[in-house]
Amino acid sequence: MRAAIVGLAVMAAVLAAPAPALAAPLVDSGTLVEFPNRYDGKVITFVGEAIGDVMERSDGAWINVNDDAYSRQGQERRLAGYNSGQSVLVADKKSAKAVTRLGDYNNRGDLVRVTGVFHKACPDHGGDMMIHSDTVRVVRSGFILRHPISARKTSLAIIWLVISGVVLTLWKWRTVSVKR
Amino acid sequence: MISKPKLYDWQIIGLYTGKIIVGIAMLMAVPFVTALVFREWGASIDFLIGILVALSIGFGFQILCETKHEMTWMHGLVIAAFSWLVAMLVGAVPYYLSGQFGSFLDAAFDLMSGYTTTGLFLLQDLDHTSNALNMWRFFVTYAGGQGIIVLALTFLIRGTSGAFMMYVGEGKEEKLLPNVIQTARAIWLVSLTYLALGTLLIGSANMLEGMLFTRAWLHGIWVTMSAWSTGGFAPQSYNIGYYHSLIVEVLTMIFFVIGSFNFALHWSVWTGDRREIYRNIEIVSFTITLTLIFSLGTYALMKVDALSGSLPFFRKAFYQIVSGHTTTGFMTIYSRQFVRQWGVLAMMATTIAMAIGASAASTAGGFKGMRMGIIAKSFAADIRRLMLPESSVIVKKIHHVHEKVLRDEQVRAAMTIVLAFIFIHLISGILGSLYGYPFVEALFDGVSAGSNTGLSAGVVAPSMPVVMKAWYIIVMWMGRLEFMAVFALAGFIIRVVRGR
C-alpha cells in the first residue's frame, strides 16, 4: 500500500515539475551506470531516497540518493538485493537543508527529486560519476523505521541462555575437578 | 599405511578450536554493547544469541576435548584451518538473524570475507544497517587482519609449545620476538596504535567534510579498521566513493598501504631501523610492480577515454589499482564501471595487481611481494648463470630485515604457492564462465576473492549461484591461510576416511 502511495507521489512530483524539468528524462541509477555515455553531459531527472548524510562543502552539498527497491518500501522489509543510487551535488545549500530525514537503520530517508547534469566522470570532482543539480526537492517525507523484536528471537535467546548456562556450569565443574 | 587419527588428535584439535570460539564470543560483546548504546534492541538480541551460541560451542568443545597431550606441527595447522571454518559458522549467526541475508550461506560468505579481509559482501540493504551489525563487520575484519589465532594467542592461550604451529597455520611465518605469544602481542600493539591514529585522522576528516559528530567518528573507526586490515568493507554501499573527499581517499590510501606491509618490517622500523623501508625486498617488489601496473592501467584508461585530468587519474585509476595491489578492495567507483568504462585491458591490469598482492606476514593477501621478489631474483640469477662460465658460483641474496642467502628450496616453495594461487584463480574464472559470466569479469571477481581483495566487477551479488558462493568461501579461506593449513586439514580428513 505504502509503495503504491510512494509511486503516486513520484508521479505527482514529475507532473507538477516546471517545464524544463519535464524535458529532462527520469533515469534510474542502473541505466546511468550501465550506459554512462548515453547521458554524459545531459540534463536528467533523478528520484530516490536521501541516505546517510548531507555533506556541505564550499561548492554545494553532497547527497547520496538511492533509487533502489528499498527507497519505495514502507515499514515492511523485503530483501531486494544491493542498494543502488547516484551521488548528487546540490549547488543551493539552502534547498539541501530541506532534506531533514536521511536513510539509515532507524529511518527511511526523504524521497527527493533532482534535475541536473549527469557526469560519467566529472573532471571538477575527481572523476566522480555524479549529478550536478541546482536544487533538491523533497517529494515525500521520510519516516521512522520500526524494528520490533520477534517472539521467535526472544524464545531462541532464552533457549540458548539455558544451554550456555548448563555448558558453562559443566565446564566450571570439570575445570575445578581436573585441578583437584 | 595411513593411520587413523587417535582420540587425542581429535581432543587437541577440539580443545584449541573451543578456545578460539570463546574468543569469537568475546569479540561479539563489542557489537552487543554497540547495539545497547544506540538502542538497537533488535540487533542486541541477535548478538546476544550469537554470544550464547559461541560460548556453548566453545566451552562444549573444551569439556569434550579436555587433554594434556602436547600439540604437534600437524595439530597446529589443522586447528588453524578448522577453527576458521567453525569461527565462520558461529560468527555468521548474528549476521543471519539480522534478516539482511538471503540465506545462511550468504551470511557465512560475509563472515569469511570479513575474517579473511576480503571485503566482498552479500549483505543486502547495507545503507539501512544497524551500527551494531556494522561494528561486527569491521571488528571481524580487524580481528581477521591480525589473525583470529593471533588474537587467541594474545588473550586466551598461554605457554603452549604448539602455539607457533597455529600461528604459522594462519599464514604468518615470522616471529618479531623470540616468543610467539610476545610476537602476537607485538602485532596487536602495532595494530592498535595505528587504529587510534587512523580513527583520529579519518574521524576528523569526516567532520571537516560535513558529517555529523557521531557518524563521523563511527565511520572514522570503521574505515580505519577496514583500511589498516586491507579489508575493503565500508559502512555505505557507495564504499569510499560515498565521502566524495580527496582527504578521506588520501588518508585511507596511506593506512591501507601501511597495513599491507609486513609486520616484521613494522617492527624493524618501530625499533629504530628506518632504512629497512627502502631496502626491504617486499617494498622494492611492490614499488616495481605497482609502477608497471599503474602505467599499463593508465595507458588502457587513456585509450578508452575513461578519465581526463591528473586528479581524476589519481582518485580513480591510482586509488583502485593501489587498493587492488594491497588487496584492500576500497572503491571510489561503482563495480560496473570497471566493465562499462574501464574496459578489458584496465581490468586485466587491476586483476594482475590483485593477484600479486602485498607483503607476507601482513594483513594482505595474494602471491605476496616476498614471493615475487624471490622468483624475480631467482630468474635473474638463472639468466646470469647462462651468461657466465659454468664453474662460476652465483649467490642469490634478498634483503628482508637482514641480508639472507636465497636457497633453492625457498624458490621452489614460493613457486608452489604462486602456482596454487594461479590454479584456484583459473578455476574461479572457468566456474564463472560455466555459469554464464564473461570470463574477464569472472576472473576479476575470482582473483579478488582468492587474493582476499574485495574489488568487484559485479559478479559477486546475492543472486550469484550457490556453487559459486561456496567456491568463493573456499578460495577466500585457502588464500588467507596460504594453502598449507588447508592441505593439512585435507590430509587429516583423508586419514579419517582411509586410515586403518
Side-chain angles (χ1 to χ4, degrees):
Chain A
M1 182 60 187
R2 191 180 281 274
I5 294 170
V6 172
L8 285 172
V10 174
M11 274 176 59
V14 173
L15 290 172
L22 273 180
L26 182 70
V27 190
D28 64 85
S29 60
T31 307
L32 292 173
V33 175
E34 289 294 328
F35 307 101
N37 292 329
R38 195 184 290 172
Y39 297 98
D40 190 32
K42 299 210 166 78
V43 177
I44 60 156
T45 299
F46 192 78
V47 178
E49 176 194 3
I51 54 130
D53 305 83
V54 174
M55 294 177 280
E56 280 196 22
R57 308 278 165 83
S58 56
D59 54 352
W62 281 101
I63 307 175
N64 292 298
V65 180
N66 283 3
D67 66 339
D68 50 28
Y70 303 106
S71 65
R72 266 83 174 161
Q73 285 183 6
Q75 285 297 343
E76 79 285 358
R77 197 169 196 185
R78 290 186 311 276
L79 291 181
Y82 290 143
N83 298 111
S84 58
Q86 277 290 323
S87 300
V88 182
L89 183 67
V90 181
D92 179 12
K93 292 183 215 173
K94 269 188 192 164
S95 85
K97 285 196 194 306
V99 182
T100 51
R101 194 177 290 277
L102 293 146
D104 59 19
Y105 179 66
N106 292 313
N107 297 287
R108 178 77 61 215
D110 291 339
L111 198 72
V112 299
R113 179 179 169 281
V114 293
T115 298
V117 181
F118 170 74
H119 294 274
K120 68 172 186 180
C122 178
D124 298 331
H125 293 94
D128 284 355
M129 179 178 274
M130 60 176 291
I131 299 166
H132 273 277
S133 175
D134 289 333
T135 58
V136 56
R137 211 152 64 85
V138 175
V139 176
R140 179 217 65 192
S141 294
F143 50 90
I144 293 171
L145 287 172
R146 290 191 298 272
H147 299 277
I149 299 172
S150 71
R152 207 178 106 249
K153 276 190 192 173
T154 312
S155 328
L156 206 59
I158 293 167
I159 291 167
W160 278 101
L161 193 64
V162 173
I163 294 172
S164 59
V166 171
V167 172
L168 273 168
T169 310
L170 280 172
W171 178 79
K172 190 75 191 160
W173 171 77
R174 176 115 187 185
T175 312
V176 171
S177 63
V178 166
K179 273 186 185 165
R180 276 182 193 156
Chain B
M1 190 179 72
I2 303 170
S3 63
K4 257 199 191 314
K6 304 277 185 302
L7 177 64
Y8 68 81
D9 290 324
W10 292 99
Q11 286 174 321
I12 292 169
I13 294 164
L15 178 68
Y16 286 99
T17 301
K19 286 177 189 272
I20 290 162
I21 300 308
V22 170
I24 302 298
M26 286 163 62
L27 284 184
M28 276 190 220
V30 175
F32 176 65
V33 171
T34 307
L36 296 180
V37 168
F38 288 97
R39 296 162 168 253
E40 295 167 347
W41 309 124
S44 69
I45 290 279
D46 298 343
F47 282 98
L48 179 64
I49 296 170
I51 291 169
L52 296 173
V53 170
L55 286 176
S56 305
I57 294 173
F59 283 113
F61 269 38
Q62 291 184 51
I63 294 166
L64 294 172
C65 302
E66 181 66 48
T67 178
K68 290 207 160 27
H69 271 93
E70 281 291 313
M71 189 193 298
T72 64
W73 182 257
M74 181 276 293
H75 293 131
L77 293 177
V78 174
I79 291 164
F82 182 63
S83 63
W84 273 66
L85 286 183
V86 182
M88 171 190 76
L89 296 174
V90 171
V93 170
Y95 264 12
Y96 181 62
L97 292 173
S98 72
Q100 288 183 253
F101 290 88
S103 66
F104 191 80
L105 182 71
D106 289 13
F109 180 102
D110 274 34
L111 236 291
M112 187 55 90
S113 177
Y115 282 143
T116 57
T117 72
T118 303
L120 294 168
F121 67 94
L122 298 175
L123 182 145
Q124 301 182 48
D125 199 13
L126 172 60
D127 292 330
H128 295 97
T129 296
S130 65
N131 289 324
L133 196 71
N134 257 325
M135 185 62 89
W136 185 225
R137 296 173 74 225
F138 293 98
F139 219 63
V140 158
T141 306
Y142 188 65
Q146 317 341 300
I148 55 176
I149 289 171
V150 169
L151 180 78
L153 287 172
T154 311
F155 300 107
L156 296 171
I157 301 170
R158 287 172 215 286
T160 164
S161 57
F164 183 61
M165 293 132 200
M166 292 196 289
Y167 173 78
V168 171
E170 202 170 42
K172 291 184 170 66
E173 290 172 31
E174 296 180 55
K175 282 202 275 188
L176 316 184
L177 293 162
N179 179 311
V180 71
I181 310 273
Q182 288 170 340
T183 299
R185 286 181 185 153
I187 287 175
W188 277 99
L189 173 69
V190 172
S191 298
L192 288 169
T193 305
Y194 278 112
L195 177 62
L197 183 65
T199 304
L200 186 69
L201 292 173
I202 296 175
S204 305
N206 286 340
M207 287 204 65
L208 279 175
E209 296 290 42
M211 289 177 75
L212 296 177
F213 183 84
T214 310
R215 284 179 59 82
W217 290 101
L218 274 177
H219 280 227
I221 190 166
W222 291 338
V223 169
T224 306
M225 280 183 179
S226 195
W228 164 256
S229 310
T230 63
F233 281 158
Q236 303 282 161
S237 61
Y238 297 71
N239 208 275
I240 297 302
Y242 175 84
Y243 304 100
H244 302 283
S245 163
L246 176 63
I247 186 167
V248 171
E249 287 162 26
V250 169
L251 284 172
T252 52
M253 203 189 298
I254 289 169
F255 277 90
F256 63 64
V257 169
I258 295 173
S260 77
F261 290 167
N262 195 310
F263 278 110
L265 169 66
H266 279 290
W267 198 246
S268 287
V269 175
W270 272 54
T271 47
D273 184 8
R274 291 198 171 79
R275 284 193 314 154
E276 184 63 26
I277 297 174
Y278 314 106
R279 299 165 66 200
N280 192 286
I281 185 171
E282 295 195 285
I283 303 299
V284 173
S285 163
F286 177 77
T287 309
I288 292 170
T289 49
L290 178 64
T291 307
L292 292 174
I293 292 167
F294 180 61
S295 305
L296 176 63
T298 303
Y299 167 76
L301 289 170
M302 285 172 79
K303 215 172 159 211
V304 295
D305 199 21
L307 294 165
S308 60
S310 53
L311 195 59
F313 263 96
F314 174 75
R315 293 181 62 180
K316 296 293 175 276
F318 191 68
Y319 192 91
Q320 257 59 230
I321 287 173
V322 178
S323 173
H325 204 332
T326 55
T327 72
T328 304
F330 274 162
M331 294 169 74
T332 55
I333 61 172
Y334 295 89
S335 291
R336 292 294 296 168
Q337 281 183 271
F338 279 120
V339 180
R340 305 302 300 185
Q341 282 182 267
W342 279 42
V344 172
L345 191 56
M347 279 180 76
M348 288 310 292
T350 314
T351 307
I352 295 167
M354 292 191 287
I356 293 172
S359 298
S362 71
T363 64
F367 302 159
K368 304 282 168 64
M370 175 73 81
R371 295 195 184 97
M372 294 304 291
I374 287 173
I375 293 168
K377 284 262 180 183
S378 172
F379 188 64
D382 283 347
I383 291 175
R384 269 186 70 198
R385 191 171 290 130
L386 290 174
M387 294 188 293
L388 293 171
E390 247 179 65
S391 56
S392 55
V393 177
I394 298 170
V395 179
K396 297 167 276 185
K397 283 186 179 174
I398 55 166
H399 184 91
H400 176 60
V401 185
H402 309 288
E403 203 75 8
K404 293 169 186 168
V405 174
L406 191 59
R407 287 173 285 114
D408 282 346
E409 307 89 83
Q410 286 173 294
V411 179
R412 203 162 45 240
M415 281 300 295
T416 305
I417 298 290
V418 169
L419 285 173
F421 268 114
I422 291 172
F423 183 67
I424 62 166
H425 293 334
L426 281 175
I427 292 181
S428 299
I430 292 166
L431 184 66
S433 296
L434 289 175
Y435 276 103
Y437 295 97
F439 182 74
V440 174
E441 293 172 37
L443 188 68
F444 188 94
D445 278 36
V447 170
S448 180
S451 63
N452 306 134
T453 304
L455 295 180
S456 174
V459 172
V460 171
S463 56
M464 188 167 70
V466 169
V467 174
M468 283 183 72
K469 288 176 186 171
W471 173 249
Y472 276 36
I473 289 175
I474 293 168
V475 297
M476 286 191 278
W477 174 59
M478 289 206 293
R480 175 65 175 82
L481 300 184
E482 300 204 319
F483 304 101
M484 200 161 58
V486 177
F487 292 158
L489 179 62
F492 188 80
I493 294 167
I494 290 168
R495 281 178 62 196
V496 173
V497 177
R498 299 189 56 188
R500 290 183 189 171

